[in-house]
Amino acid sequence: MKTALETVPARSRQMYMYHDAYPYMTRYFKMVYLGAAQRADLTEPDPTAVPGIVDSLKTKEPAVIFGSEEFDSPVFAAVASQLSLPAPVLLSDETFPGSPGDARHSWAGMIVENYTRIIEALGGDAAALKAVNVDIGIEDSAVYPAG
């Protein structure tokens, strides 16, 4: 991640999130954490909150905001729209990439996928992340519900 982050322009190293899952990452990698939209009780932000969120972000000029695959938010999409930003880049909270049995279908695979999306969305080169081998040699024996 450090190698990939070095390819992101310094001005772009800031993150506004749907929820507060990544402040630890921004501190560790010396990025700017601009906040999170989700309320402390984990409910959807009220649509009346959009103007306040937009006003708080206008002066910070984020290049992108980050949402959640599991909690697609129309309010968050409205924030992006009002800031003339692309749709929020979706990160996963709990859904592993790939298919059961794939090495990437793991917590490590999910983190590498999320970090790859972050780096690319911020204008960096994620080649170093894409080269990470997440295969730890343990066969996936979980039983997944159909659906």
Side-chain angles (χ1 to χ4, degrees):
M1 178 65 177
K2 286 183 178 183
T3 300
L5 187 59
E6 289 173 3
T7 70
V8 173
R11 185 184 177 296
S12 297
R13 295 178 190 179
Q14 52 185 0
M15 294 182 71
Y16 186 79
M17 309 292 299
Y18 175 71
H19 63 86
D20 61 355
Y22 285 87
Y24 70 90
M25 187 197 82
T26 57
R27 279 191 306 273
Y28 183 79
F29 291 113
K30 297 177 178 52
M31 298 173 70
V32 177
Y33 178 70
L34 300 176
Q38 190 178 51
R39 300 188 316 200
D41 64 2
L42 304 180
T43 59
E44 174 77 11
D46 189 293
T48 62
V50 171
I53 296 169
V54 169
D55 286 345
S56 73
L57 291 175
K58 276 184 182 173
T59 60
K60 298 179 176 55
E61 301 179 350
V64 65
I65 58 177
F66 296 91
S68 169
E69 283 183 350
E70 290 83 9
F71 303 101
D72 193 18
S73 168
V75 171
F76 211 53
V79 170
S81 176
Q82 289 189 29
L83 289 168
S84 299
L85 296 175
V89 172
L90 301 180
L91 305 176
S92 181
D93 299 334
E94 56 193 40
T95 305
F96 297 157
S99 300
D102 295 345
R104 289 183 34 230
H105 191 76
S106 62
W107 179 87
M110 179 183 70
I111 296 301
V112 169
E113 178 69 23
N114 282 344
Y115 284 9
T116 297
R117 291 177 186 178
I118 290 167
I119 292 299
E120 290 177 343
L122 296 175
D125 179 357
L129 286 163
K130 291 177 181 179
V132 172
N133 180 3
V134 296
D135 187 351
I136 59 172
I138 298 174
E139 185 176 331
D140 180 0
S141 61
V143 178
Y144 296 92

